[in-house]
Amino acid sequence: MSELRVRFAPSPTGYLHVGGARTALFNWLLARKQGGTFILRIEDTDVERSTQESVDAILQGMRWLGLDWDEGPFYQSDSFELYKEYVQKLLNDGKAYRCYCTSGELDKKRELAMQEGRKPKYDGTCRERLDQSDAPYVVRFRAPQGGEVAFDDLIKGRIAFPAEELDDLIIQRTDGTPTYNFCVVIDDASMRITTVIRGDDHVNNTPRQIQLYQALGFPVPQFAHVPMILGSDKARLSKRHGATSVIAYRDMGFLPEALMNYLVRLGWSHGDDEIFSRDEMVQKFDINNVGRSASVFNTEKLLWLNAHYIKTGDTERLADLLLPHLSKREVTTLGGPDLILVVKTLQERAQTLEEMADRAVFYYNAPQIYDEAALAKFEKEHLLAVFETVAEQLSATTAADAAGFDALFKEICIEKGWKMPQVGQPVRIALSGGTQAPGIGEIVATLGVTETVSRIRMAGVFVAGK
Ligand code: GLU
């Protein structure tokens, strides 16, 4: 094990967002690559907005993606005592102070600053105050003044903030609860985090956190701020652009490896490579190669990757993953063809498991209606002749696999002087109800001769009655 310790620290105020998942993925990859430790920490200090449901949704999303953590989940809400101790330590060391300014007073000061064209910043009224009355107070960090706070971000390069821009941060509210930036520092320090990889919406928090590390005598970790994910209109990716929840992608029929592959390439590249297995990602990932600019979420590319993983996926696993999508359609595979065989006939062309499920339905439910427009392209006499001939020949054949059935259909064409589509299309409609279906030999081999013949006869009855 290396010394590297990273963490993913979601706030449980909603599901696992694809942006959060990418941050988690980058952390996980670095840990796995360097033999480090990946920690999961739930930042639930915002009691009002944090829910158990969100925690569950986040864990579910991470498990589905296979982002396994080595330590945790730790909950910030379990550490209130620890935070209090450190607030006290800063108070004792004179590095924090009680501030009795009321919100009304602070509002006035803020307004005045704005009117005078100054940055609204706490003016330090209580910094040097000596009396410690029992009136309500917050605890403020005595931010060091002068100079600048700078850090070398692993993604964004050097970032510096003049210290005078940094406020005397409130670290404990009037009700005694610690504030967000303070908890993050105490946690990252006590969990001995060496590299903080997080969204770049936290860049502005970093100098304040660095000052706190220094005041507490903790080593300052390295930082890597990951650029945002944008929608096609270059605005921050949100529901407006489509699904943003990891689990929604699962439900839409995406494979976890496709989403992982898509997310790793969102902002990171390795030459012209597009396809990365989990192992390859781990081997090749380098946080220094994550781009500085925001990336645009491209559903087409995600679909392309998903199609690739479906096409090349293990059929038995795909069959398992397909089951919930079939249940959603109230399809039971009991008594029908082997689902693995069904998957084999569909995996070449399906972009998602939802699409595959749509196309698999006919194998288990004989068509109730037929695509009449497609049927109308053929003469009634022709249709009846095709159904009759095919049903007869199939009942008598010894062919038993897709190639054998395809050969039989060819023979029928030669014998009757029909072209392949003149037989293939009507039979496809008879078997599946429509024209979108796999190769005819494949369908027959999968459905079995008995079921095929019965469906063809049913279609014959339908056409005869027209
Ligand atoms: N809890 C923060 C968030 O969900 C992450 C904070 C951090 O990574 O430092 O945005």
Side-chain angles (χ1 to χ4, degrees):
M1 278 241 157
S2 83
E3 292 300 304
L4 179 96
R5 291 174 65 84
V6 291
R7 81 322 189 254
F8 176 52
S11 305
T13 54
Y15 50 70
L16 180 62
H17 187 278
V18 286
R22 186 183 54 156
T23 304
L25 172 61
F26 285 178
N27 274 288
W28 180 86
L29 284 171
L30 199 62
R32 294 295 169 263
K33 184 187 172 103
Q34 298 193 10
T37 306
F38 177 48
I39 297 162
L40 178 60
R41 179 171 82 225
I42 306 291
E43 304 211 314
D44 59 348
T45 43
D46 185 343
V47 194
E48 300 271 292
R49 295 177 60 221
S50 302
T51 64
Q52 185 58 42
E53 210 185 333
S54 299
V55 172
D56 295 342
I58 291 167
L59 299 187
Q60 184 190 29
M62 292 193 54
R63 290 199 178 106
W64 180 67
L65 286 172
L67 294 172
D68 53 331
W69 52 92
D70 308 306
E71 292 179 17
F74 298 112
Y75 293 81
Q76 284 190 323
S77 54
D78 289 337
S79 299
F80 279 115
E81 283 313 309
L82 182 72
Y83 306 138
K84 275 215 170 106
E85 277 171 32
Y86 279 105
V87 169
Q88 196 53 50
K89 178 172 167 20
L90 286 179
L91 281 168
N92 295 346
D93 294 351
K95 291 178 177 168
Y97 59 92
R98 290 182 180 190
C99 170
Y100 294 93
C101 297
T102 63
S103 49
E105 285 164 352
L106 291 172
D107 286 347
K108 270 196 206 125
K109 287 178 194 184
R110 200 170 300 121
E111 265 169 42
L112 190 69
M114 306 263 263
Q115 273 168 21
E116 291 174 359
R118 288 182 285 120
K119 277 208 170 173
K121 179 184 160 187
Y122 181 60
D123 66 355
T125 306
C126 296
R127 256 190 168 231
E128 310 305 332
R129 189 170 166 152
L130 292 173
D131 65 308
Q132 299 282 286
S133 86
D134 285 334
Y137 63 87
V138 299
V139 178
R140 283 188 189 269
F141 173 56
R142 195 186 299 277
Q145 305 195 310
E148 60 172 25
V149 183
F151 59 98
D152 291 308
D153 192 279
L154 293 174
I155 295 174
K156 294 183 179 271
R158 187 170 178 79
I159 302 182
F161 293 79
E164 66 174 66
E165 276 186 18
L166 306 171
D167 229 336
D168 277 0
L169 193 74
I170 297 176
I171 57 176
Q172 181 177 294
R173 301 184 190 88
T174 317
D175 64 3
T177 58
T179 57
Y180 171 72
N181 274 303
F182 187 71
C183 300
V184 171
V185 169
I186 303 302
D187 284 338
D188 284 339
S190 55
M191 293 173 188
R192 303 189 320 283
I193 301 300
T194 56
T195 311
V196 171
I197 305 173
R198 61 182 168 202
D200 68 359
D201 45 337
H202 289 282
V203 165
N204 287 334
N205 288 330
T206 306
R208 300 168 210 283
Q209 295 181 2
I210 289 176
Q211 287 185 323
L212 285 168
Y213 280 103
Q214 290 167 338
L216 288 158
F218 295 145
V220 180
Q222 283 192 301
F223 292 94
H225 287 96
V226 183
M228 279 196 285
I229 301 180
L230 307 178
S232 48
D233 58 357
K234 306 282 160 72
R236 191 184 180 141
L237 186 71
S238 71
K239 276 192 191 154
R240 207 158 47 77
H241 300 105
T244 53
S245 137
V246 164
I247 289 300
Y249 281 92
R250 180 198 67 185
D251 295 345
M252 289 189 294
F254 287 86
L255 300 178
E257 57 270 37
L259 189 56
M260 287 270 272
N261 194 151
Y262 180 69
L263 290 176
V264 81
R265 281 284 293 104
L266 209 50
W268 173 76
S269 56
H270 185 268
D272 292 330
D273 300 351
E274 288 295 354
I275 309 272
F276 295 89
S277 68
R278 274 171 99 78
D279 286 349
E280 283 166 343
M281 269 184 225
V282 169
Q283 256 172 36
K284 294 177 177 164
F285 182 74
D286 184 346
I287 191 82
N288 297 300
N289 287 348
V290 173
R292 290 182 182 199
S293 46
S295 340
V296 175
F297 197 86
N298 176 345
T299 313
E300 286 304 308
K301 188 167 167 200
L302 173 56
L303 277 168
W304 175 78
L305 280 167
N306 206 47
H308 164 81
Y309 284 103
I310 289 181
K311 198 185 290 186
T312 55
D314 173 68
T315 41
E316 207 171 318
R317 171 169 171 261
L318 289 172
D320 276 345
L321 295 176
L322 189 62
L323 279 173
H325 298 274
L326 289 174
S327 310
K328 206 158 110 184
R329 289 163 176 75
E330 292 178 5
V331 170
T332 160
T333 56
L334 239 79
D338 182 348
L339 190 55
I340 296 178
L341 298 181
V342 168
V343 166
K344 275 190 188 152
T345 70
L346 299 172
Q347 73 186 128
E348 271 296 317
R349 281 176 288 262
Q351 283 192 301
T352 65
L353 293 175
E354 277 285 278
E355 212 174 281
M356 191 186 263
D358 276 340
R359 294 181 187 169
V361 171
F362 84 87
Y363 280 113
Y364 299 98
N365 298 345
Q368 304 288 324
I369 48 167
Y370 300 100
D371 180 342
E372 296 211 27
L375 278 178
K377 294 202 175 112
F378 303 96
E379 298 283 337
K380 181 173 176 175
E381 306 309 307
H382 172 74
L383 289 173
L384 291 175
V386 166
F387 292 154
E388 189 49 41
T389 312
V390 171
E392 256 174 36
Q393 301 248 10
L394 271 177
S395 304
T397 188
T398 53
D401 59 11
F405 294 120
D406 279 333
L408 178 71
F409 279 99
K410 265 197 199 116
E411 276 167 34
I412 293 175
C413 285
I414 294 168
E415 195 186 307
K416 297 283 182 181
W418 292 328
K419 294 206 173 69
M420 197 54 198
Q422 288 178 298
V423 180
Q425 279 302 63
V427 170
R428 218 180 242 112
I429 299 167
L431 299 180
S432 72
T435 52
Q436 288 279 347
I440 203 77
E442 275 182 301
I443 308 181
V444 179
T446 311
L447 273 179
V449 168
T450 316
E451 178 65 16
T452 303
V453 169
S454 134
R455 288 190 189 190
I456 289 176
R457 296 228 184 270
M458 259 166 38
V461 171
F462 175 80
V463 170
K466 294 232 60 156

